[in-house]
Amino acid sequence: MPMRTIFMIFDGFQLLDLSGPATVFGGAAQALGKPSGVIVVSPRGGQVRSSAGVSVATISIRSVRARENDMLLVVGGEEGALRALVADDAAAGWFCDNAARAARFGSICSGAFALAQWGLAQGRRVATHWAGAKAMAAAYPDVTVDAEAMYVQDGNMWTSAGVSTGIDMALAIVEHDLGAAIANSIARRLVLSVRRPGHQSQFSPMLDAQAKAGGDYAELIGYIAANLEKPLDVETLAAKAGEAPRSFHRHFTTATGKTPAAFVAAARLDQARALLSEGAPLKTAAAASGFTSAEHLTRRFSQAFGLPPGAWRSLNQPN
């Protein structure tokens, strides 16, 4: 594990881009019985105000020099604030000089724009927030932008997608350096429902469905996501929605674009796939996702994805 993790922030930065990963790396240090080693810097030092209105105390970049086993990360933020950062010659020079010395460097969310503008991502593959992926690809044709990945490792450069995915990337770095046991213990402490692998899409089927359904079935979709191991037949879901089964079937299909049965089946497969990517045994993934047996999951999984769960896990499980 790097001795220190240095975050560069700036006026208008995204607070969770800093606080999420910093909590993970601080937790890793705590697990090792060491000081947190998290340092927060800014171009001028002092109190720096986030886009949420919360200010964070920082050290001036002039006072910090990266060591060869440090990690250096730039966070994302509001568009105007990020433009001001990338145009700051002193900030650019400091970050590039220190990235060359550090063991690894990278970005969280739209911080990838800074890496691209400063020439650090040239010829490399990066992740960034889905909302900015197309603009980044157009502005920096020498950078390969992965518009879907949660996070990307390209050599000693790590980049994450939007906001909360910085936590996923930080956990992956901890696992890479210290093993799955410590990473999983931190995830449990943060009360995460599942650790998301880098190759998983930024787009949540459940969240998309809630947005599409609007207020009509958003709460019910949340119930489905939290109770996939339970019976979720039309009668049960209709009762939860306070509707007659026939009316519910028609209304739910109109609202989400899928019948209740098809929606539940897709949600179960999606959860099983996420659990398998984290190394869960086949029986565990099947039971937690509402399949009657490992054989049932294998059959449905193979039909949906074209290969059995074991083969998919071997191809997609993080190193």
Side-chain angles (χ1 to χ4, degrees):
M1 195 69 187
M3 290 296 293
R4 304 184 301 177
T5 303
I6 304 169
F7 290 91
M8 175 187 268
I9 68 173
F10 47 91
D11 287 322
F13 77 99
Q14 167 57 247
L15 184 62
L16 189 55
D17 286 359
L18 169 67
S19 61
T23 300
V24 172
F25 295 129
Q30 184 179 14
L32 296 175
K34 296 182 177 181
S36 71
V38 172
I39 299 172
V40 184
V41 304
S42 65
R44 288 168 294 282
Q47 294 289 323
V48 174
R49 187 178 176 86
S50 71
S51 59
V54 177
S55 293
V56 174
T58 69
I59 300 171
S60 168
I61 56 175
R62 296 188 298 273
S63 303
V64 177
R65 178 181 172 87
R67 303 166 186 165
E68 63 180 9
N69 55 355
D70 284 344
M71 175 164 53
L72 182 62
L73 297 170
V74 58
V75 305
E78 298 294 327
E79 182 178 353
L82 192 59
R83 287 183 184 278
L85 174 71
V86 300
D88 186 327
D89 291 338
W94 179 88
F95 195 95
C96 290
D97 289 346
N98 284 276
R101 278 192 295 272
R104 60 170 69 104
F105 69 94
S107 63
I108 299 155
C109 196
S110 58
F113 279 84
L115 298 185
Q117 181 63 31
W118 295 339
L120 294 170
Q122 186 172 7
R124 299 216 200 190
R125 178 169 157 257
V126 305
T128 192
H129 194 290
W130 61 265
K134 180 182 273 189
M136 186 173 182
Y140 305 101
D142 56 348
V143 177
T144 300
V145 181
D146 191 326
E148 292 219 351
M150 291 284 185
Y151 56 84
V152 168
Q153 179 191 5
D154 189 326
N156 70 333
M157 185 180 78
W158 290 71
T159 55
S160 83
V163 197
S164 65
T165 59
I167 296 174
D168 299 291
M169 183 178 79
L171 287 167
I173 292 171
V174 170
E175 179 173 6
H176 180 277
D177 291 351
L178 302 177
I182 290 180
N184 289 335
S185 71
I186 295 170
R188 285 193 294 271
R189 197 177 308 140
L190 296 177
V191 200
L192 299 179
S193 59
V194 65
R195 286 181 52 208
R196 301 175 294 184
H199 56 75
Q200 182 175 323
S201 174
Q202 295 182 47
F203 302 99
S204 162
M206 286 295 183
L207 191 59
D208 286 349
Q210 285 180 319
K212 186 174 182 179
D216 294 338
Y217 294 113
E219 186 174 339
L220 179 64
I221 289 167
Y223 174 82
I224 292 171
N227 294 276
L228 289 170
E229 77 284 2
K230 299 178 181 178
L232 295 172
D233 51 60
V234 170
E235 288 72 21
T236 299
L237 296 178
K240 282 283 181 184
E243 298 182 42
R246 182 174 296 180
S247 298
F248 168 74
H249 187 283
R250 182 174 68 256
H251 296 157
F252 186 89
T253 303
T254 300
T256 66
K258 290 183 179 179
T259 66
F263 186 91
V264 170
R268 284 178 167 151
L269 283 169
D270 190 62
Q271 175 164 294
R273 184 168 55 174
L275 291 172
L276 289 166
S277 72
E278 291 300 318
L282 186 59
K283 286 184 178 180
T284 301
S289 304
F291 293 92
T292 56
S293 64
E295 292 74 20
H296 183 206
L297 170 57
T298 297
R299 185 169 63 255
R300 295 295 190 188
F301 197 98
S302 299
Q303 290 172 349
F305 303 119
L307 73 170
W312 187 91
R313 179 170 53 192
S314 298
L315 292 171
N316 292 280
Q317 190 172 348
N319 294 329

